Amino acid sequence: MSMTYEQKIQGELDFWKFKTLQKPSLLNKVTDKVQKKINSYIPDKVHDAITAAIKQMVKAVLFGSTFTTSKPVTDLTMMHREALIKQKIENYKKTGAAEGGITGAGGFLMSLADFPLLLGIKMKMLFDIAAVYGYDVKDYRERLYILHVFQLTFSSKEESQNVFIKMQAWDDKAHQLPTDIDEFDWLTFQQQYRDYIDLAKLAQMLPFVGAAVGAIANYKLIEKLGKTAMMSYRMRHTSLQYAVASSQETENRKLKTGN
């Protein structure tokens, strides 16, 4: 018997969840140590620039209109949605690779100056992905989810697991958030967000080691971000499906018992 698309993505999602919640391997620990060692050699002005860019990004995502042009896509099957999303990710990978090549060729200072632009490319992709999955990115609570997807992708193994737990049953949690962003403590969120992002991983986004490496690095980083986004929205999709099925089952039970 052939597997349905829903069954296929559920299997992929289960494996992704397992890998995400796995304890850090020896390779993970060694890689983190190497990254942190490299990170310690990065000048303070780079750390300051990354910090400023992340803070600006959080503010732009929560309040700005830069990324909010995408309208939610309706009346598509999950298979068609994901076919569109995969094509969008491929396009963004090519855009990111081209940008990485240009900034890499321009040297370290140009790379540093263009870091916010590279962040913008990645964020625009996340907004597009959210819209194709049918979510209204005009709602700041949806934009919060997008920031969590970014954080999940570029945090340490331990912190990414903490973020993953926060993202589970997101729709239930989102309903508990204030509807008005002015009532949301975004300044505290912004500070915590910056503190939990792994600077060593963010430093990889600076393609200052040359055009070729910059292009490849951006291509791979966008690929990783795209995959994490797809899995994150699949998690919401299956969670909502389960909630609807459970509700329907409860209603059927009531009808049968007359209660």
Side-chain angles (χ1 to χ4, degrees):
M1 187 174 178
S2 60
M3 186 183 295
T4 67
Y5 191 77
E6 293 283 349
Q7 289 171 329
K8 175 181 177 291
I9 64 173
Q10 183 62 58
E12 292 174 358
L13 178 61
D14 289 341
F15 182 70
W16 175 75
K17 285 181 178 179
F18 169 76
K19 293 289 287 181
T20 301
L21 294 173
Q22 237 181 358
K23 289 182 179 179
S25 65
L26 181 61
L27 180 60
N28 285 139
K29 291 175 181 176
V30 170
T31 302
D32 282 345
K33 283 183 180 179
V34 171
Q35 284 183 336
K36 284 171 183 173
K37 190 69 176 173
I38 293 170
N39 204 32
S40 67
Y41 296 126
I42 295 174
D44 287 342
K45 66 177 181 180
V46 177
H47 286 277
D48 293 341
I50 291 175
T51 296
I54 290 297
K55 285 185 175 181
Q56 189 59 37
M57 179 198 77
V58 172
K59 191 174 180 180
V61 168
L62 292 178
F63 289 98
S65 58
T66 309
F67 310 112
T68 56
T69 53
S70 302
K71 293 181 180 178
V73 176
T74 57
D75 302 326
L76 280 182
T77 65
M78 192 63 169
M79 183 167 67
H80 285 131
R81 287 183 196 279
E82 294 207 332
L84 280 175
I85 286 165
K86 286 174 183 175
Q87 184 58 55
K88 282 183 178 292
I89 291 170
E90 284 300 315
N91 291 338
Y92 275 106
K93 279 159 64 176
K94 291 172 185 174
T95 302
E99 180 64 30
I102 293 166
T103 56
F108 177 76
L109 291 176
M110 184 175 175
S111 298
L112 189 58
D114 276 4
F115 181 65
L117 179 61
L118 298 174
L119 277 181
I121 291 170
K122 294 169 178 69
M123 275 296 150
K124 183 69 172 68
M125 180 182 75
L126 291 181
F127 271 79
D128 280 353
I129 289 173
V132 176
Y133 273 115
Y135 293 100
D136 185 2
V137 293
K138 289 181 181 177
D139 187 335
Y140 89 92
R141 292 168 296 187
E142 287 303 328
R143 301 201 292 272
L144 268 180
Y145 192 76
I146 285 171
L147 286 170
H148 278 73
V149 171
F150 187 90
Q151 191 175 19
L152 179 65
T153 310
F154 299 117
S155 293
S156 64
K157 180 72 173 174
E158 183 180 354
E159 183 53 35
S160 67
Q161 291 176 348
N162 293 333
V163 176
F164 175 82
I165 291 166
K166 290 178 187 176
M167 292 170 70
Q168 289 185 307
W170 176 263
D171 291 279
D172 291 333
K173 294 170 185 173
H175 289 310
Q176 297 167 21
L177 291 169
T179 54
D180 187 351
I181 191 171
D182 291 326
E183 296 173 19
F184 174 70
D185 187 3
W186 72 273
L187 284 170
T188 300
F189 172 81
Q190 182 191 55
Q191 188 57 52
Q192 290 174 341
Y193 191 91
R194 161 60 187 82
D195 290 345
Y196 290 136
I197 285 283
D198 192 325
L199 270 180
K201 288 188 174 62
L202 285 179
Q204 292 177 6
M205 294 187 191
L206 291 171
F208 56 84
V209 285
V213 176
I216 294 166
N218 268 349
Y219 189 90
K220 290 295 183 183
L221 286 166
I222 290 173
E223 184 174 57
K224 181 182 180 183
L225 183 60
K227 180 181 177 182
T228 303
M230 287 186 70
M231 292 300 175
S232 298
Y233 284 103
R234 282 178 178 181
M235 184 164 64
R236 285 180 73 177
H237 172 74
T238 55
S239 179
L240 286 171
Q241 279 196 320
Y242 177 78
V244 169
S246 297
S247 177
Q248 189 63 53
E249 190 178 327
T250 302
E251 284 297 317
N252 291 340
R253 196 180 299 117
K254 284 180 181 179
L255 289 171
K256 286 179 182 178
T257 57
N259 294 326

